[in-house]
């Protein structure tokens, strides 16, 4: 009896020691074990904005399909609008959340009918409806996030285009620096969508700038089907699973495939390798994979929308197509959170140097490997 | 070997065989994982169609289950925060699984009521379920994503020591079918059990009778309506498993419309498999393998003349391959696929004395 009790005590001791050991180690023991437990890394709350004057500009935001707090395009564009309104002293902006692609035009029209002064529309898909509304209502200022006017730009329509290649380049520097095997991958949704190709070719050039001997795999899910490319998380996970089974040395994966890519990040988590997100801070937007997300190649939506509104309010006349990049700090990398100590000051130095060189125009992220040229990208 | 590769045409075939032989062991576990929802969906269709009820609502039932399982698991994970047990099982995931199955069974009950009791057109009934499921899950997902609870995680694979999964010849089979999560395991069990029951049990005989000739079945005392109800609702269990697999085993998040046609592919697998569980299982694997082949060609294209040929073929071709095969089978080129005779026909009891 006594002995058994003592056994019990020893077992308890060992178990609790093991549990403690498990808790204190930040690594997660899955696959290659590169992922880390998320610490207390809540995103910093932005400083309160003080109004620099008063303005009676009425600002409306028409979102893309989804919700206003999607931790993605809608939310960050909206925060740009509210931030701008606060800083110029305008009334609180209003938002219409689009529920269905067929409502784009009607939602814009509803702000037009209420005599709004600035209408912000969010996302590539709403671009055509925005162009139409801008042409019909020359007195209203339109701001289109992630949009581009290929033909004769309209004066009262400012479309914000981000340099994906520059953001991808920075992600490539991180990938090459943290990879232990020297083998990294960029997986894209479709090889004929310019932003996707630009991100990935920039990524490839960024990797090469740090480690010329590194192997960069660039693969695309599809060359035809947009649903498979951007809206099929289960298919994306299968694709990445298969890619990682066939390339077992790859230990950093950069996804550029929308919601299909969210499935790729799940595969990254199961493989226990480093993941890099795209467009927004995916550590925040896909919390289920955050343990493996080192950073994201980010478009600074909030500050670009805010700047566009503030500049308009100040009476500045800007180009209709706004090409946004490092020079205006409109692209960059998301915070590293639990991986902060992985990114040494040496790595950060390389990122900063490249960022400054791209801002100064002395570094082309589309060289030596060219970005989108008009033809589908064959990958590498 | 190189000399063999250089022979025109035959050389290409040899190269292709070598490529497949090379790739298959690596890709097999991924193909198996992708085939699970298709096989489970096909088992749902099997339960329905063998007893004479067409079900094109599998897609919708899967989507409902996927959403319900994910959502209820997330909610319960907040109430019962427990660490994962073996196979990643937590109470929250089990609750999610049960609710997902429940949701698919409710949809099946609706389908049974419409197509058996109301004797509505069974195609319409299935279509209603598909449209309803797409709408309601999309809408609820929008609503709850305002304060999305953190996901409950997912079931994990049954991990075997590397010495077993790396065995020559059988290693990859073990990895594909044994070293899998709990829902994937039920798939294999379901296929075998249903196949045996269909041809070796009283239930199987009665189900086949009801699907082929309900009037004759009734005359020997089988309650056609009751058996159809029971089978259609039981079929919902498999659709529920298929949906839950997508959100709490294979992945850990829900996305609007995420079944992405898998329910329809399941139906094609059932037809291709000649309305038997084993056949549907094989067909689903063939379908998943053709997608896997397309990916393999994208990810690791073969070298030499074969590589040039395969990469020159547009990707759509590989994507369309499963459907082409189904058409060929339906056209009776490779043996005929004959549906149960009474499928799609509402059954009306003969008036007493008539």
């Amino acid at each position: 009896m006594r002995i058994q009790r003592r056994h019990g005590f020893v077992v308890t001791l060992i178990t609790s020691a093991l549990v403690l050991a498990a808790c204190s180690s930040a690594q997660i023991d899955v696959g290659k074990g590169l992922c880390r437990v998320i610490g207390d890394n809540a995103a910093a709350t932005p400083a309160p904005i003080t109004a620099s004057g008063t303005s009676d500009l009425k600002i409306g935001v028409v979102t893309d399909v989804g919700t206003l707090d999607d931790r993605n395009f809608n939310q960050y564009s909206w925060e740009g609008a509210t931030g701008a309104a606060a800083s110029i002293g305008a009334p609180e902006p209003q938002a219409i959340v689009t529920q269905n692609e067929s409502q784009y035009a009607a939602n814009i029209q509803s702000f037009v009918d209420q005599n709004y002064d600035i209408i912000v529309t969010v996302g590539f898909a709403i671009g055509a409806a925005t162009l139409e509304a801008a042409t019909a209502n020359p007195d209203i200022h339109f701001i289109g996030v992630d949009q581009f006017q290929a033909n004769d730009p309209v004066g009262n329509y400012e479309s914000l285009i981000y340099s994906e290649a520059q953001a991808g380049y920075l992600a490539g520097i991180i990938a090459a620096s943290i990879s232990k095997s020297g083998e990294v991958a960029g997986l894209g949704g479709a090889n004929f969508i310019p932003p996707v190709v630009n991100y990935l070719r920039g990524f490839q050039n960024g990797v090469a700038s740090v480690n010329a001997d590194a192997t960069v795999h660039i693969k695309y899910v599809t060359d035809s089907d947009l649903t498979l490319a951007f809206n099929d998380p289960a298919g994306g996970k299968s694709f990445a699973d298969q890619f990682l089974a066939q390339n077992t040395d790859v230990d950093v994966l950069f996804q550029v495939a929308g919601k299909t890519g969210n499935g790729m990040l799940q595969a990254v988590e199961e493989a226990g390798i480093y993941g890099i997100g795209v467009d927004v801070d995916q550590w925040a937007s896909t919390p289920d994979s955050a343990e493996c997300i080192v950073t994201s190649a980010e478009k600074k939506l909030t500050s670009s929308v805010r700047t566009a509104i503030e500049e308009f309010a100040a009476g500045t006349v800007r180009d209709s197509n706004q090409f946004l990049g490092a020079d205006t700090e409109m692209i960059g990398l998301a915070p590293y959170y639990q991986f902060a100590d992985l990114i040494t000051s040496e790595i950060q130095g390389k990122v900063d140097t490249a960022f400054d060189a791209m801002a100064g125009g002395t570094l082309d992220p589309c060289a030596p490997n060219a970005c989108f040229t008009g033809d589908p990208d064959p990958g590498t | 070997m190189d000399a063999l590769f250089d022979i025109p045409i035959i050389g290409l075939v040899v190269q292709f065989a070598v490529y497949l032989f090379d790739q298959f062991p690596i890709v097999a576990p991924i193909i198996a994982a992708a085939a699970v929802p298709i096989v489970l969906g096909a088992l749902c269709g099997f339960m329905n169609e063998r007893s004479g009820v067409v079900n094109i609502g599998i897609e919708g039932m899967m989507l409902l289950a996927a959403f319900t399982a994910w959502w209820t698991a997330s909610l319960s994970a907040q109430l019962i925060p427990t660490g994962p047990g073996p196979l990643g099982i937590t109470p929250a995931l089990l609750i999610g699984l049960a609710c997902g199955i429940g949701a698919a069974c409710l949809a099946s009950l609706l389908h049974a009521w419409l197509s058996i009791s109301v004797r509505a057109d069974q195609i319409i009934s299935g279509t209603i379920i598909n449209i309803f499921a797409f709408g309601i899950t999309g809408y609820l997902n929008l609503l709850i994503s305002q304060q999305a609870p953190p996901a409950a995680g997912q079931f994990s694979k049954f991990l075997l020591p590397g010495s077993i999964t790396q065995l020559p010849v059988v290693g990859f089979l073990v990895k594909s079918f044994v070293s899998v999560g709990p829902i994937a395991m039920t798939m294999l069990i379901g296929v075998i059990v249903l196949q045996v029951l269909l041809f070796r049990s009283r239930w199987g005989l009665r189900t086949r009778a009801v699907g082929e000739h309900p009037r004759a079945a009734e005359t020997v005392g089988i309650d056609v309506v009751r058996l159809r109800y029971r089978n259609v609702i039981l079929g919902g269990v498999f659709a529920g498993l298929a949906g839950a697999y997508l959100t709490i085993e294979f992945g850990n998040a829900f996305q609007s419309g995420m079944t992405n046609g898998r329910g329809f592919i399941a139906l094609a697998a059932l037809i291709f498999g000649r309305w038997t569980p084993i056949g549907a299982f094989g067909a689903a694997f063939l379908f998943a393998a053709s997608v896997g082949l397309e990916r393999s060609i994208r990810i690791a294209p073969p070298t030499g003349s074969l590589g040039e040929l395969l990469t020159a073929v547009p990707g759509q071709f590989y994507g369309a391959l499963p459907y082409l095969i189904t058409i060929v089978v339906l056209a009776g080129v490779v043996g005929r696929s004959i549906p149960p005779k009474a499928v799609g026909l509402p059954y009306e009891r003969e008036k007493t004395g008539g």
Side-chain angles (χ1 to χ4, degrees), chain A residues 69 99 232 237 242 246 266, chain B residues 23 142 250-252 292 296:
Chain A
D69 52 0
Q99 304 291 341
D232 181 18
K237 178 164 182 287
Q242 190 165 333
Q246 284 168 326
Q266 288 173 12
Chain B
Q23 293 286 315
L142 277 183
F250 184 68
N252 61 6
S296 261

Side-chain angles (χ1 to χ4, degrees), chain A residues 88-114:
Chain A
I88 61 174
E92 175 83 353
Q94 296 299 314
I96 299 180
V97 178
T98 304
Q99 304 291 341
N100 187 307
E101 281 162 32
S102 62
Q103 300 166 347
Y104 287 146
N107 289 349
I108 297 174
Q109 190 59 39
S110 132
F111 279 131
V112 170
D113 294 343
Q114 297 173 64

Side-chain angles (χ1 to χ4, degrees), chain A residues 65-71 98-99 191 217 219-224 227-228 231-239 241-243 245-247 259 262 266 269-270 288-289 380, chain B residues 23 26-27 30 34 70 141-143 145-148 150-151 154 157 246 249-253 255-258 260 262 291-296 298-301 314-316:
Chain A
V65 177
T67 61
L68 200 54
D69 52 0
D70 58 358
R71 288 175 281 202
T98 304
Q99 304 291 341
N191 64 356
H217 300 272
K219 304 290 177 195
Y220 296 92
V221 174
T222 173
D223 52 17
S224 53
T227 305
L228 289 183
N231 225 349
D232 181 18
K237 178 164 182 287
S238 278
F239 187 85
D241 276 343
Q242 190 165 333
F243 174 82
Q246 284 168 326
N247 298 280
K259 288 169 182 167
N262 295 350
Q266 288 173 12
E269 173 136 24
E270 269 177 36
D288 303 332
S289 309
T380 59
Chain B
Q23 293 286 315
I26 306 170
V27 178
I30 292 135
W70 169 76
N141 189 38
L142 277 183
L143 276 191
S145 65
Q146 308 277 348
Q147 296 107 23
Q154 63 208 94
K157 287 178 181 143
L246 289 174
E249 180 168 313
F250 184 68
N252 61 6
Q255 211 71 253
S256 179
M258 71 179 297
N260 220 345
R262 285 174 180 84
V291 179
L293 175 67
E294 186 204 344
R295 293 197 182 119
S296 261
R298 288 185 175 281
I299 293 166
Q316 291 97 318

Side-chain angles (χ1 to χ4, degrees), chain A residues 95 154 198 218 239 335:
Chain A
V154 179
N198 293 342
I218 295 182
F239 187 85

Side-chain angles (χ1 to χ4, degrees), chain B residues 19 101 108 111 148 159 167 194 226 236 271 282 313 338 349:
Chain B
Y19 178 65
I101 292 174
S108 291
H111 182 56
L159 289 177
L167 282 175
L194 285 184
R226 213 175 117 195
I271 295 167
V313 175
I338 302 160
R349 246 185 216 133

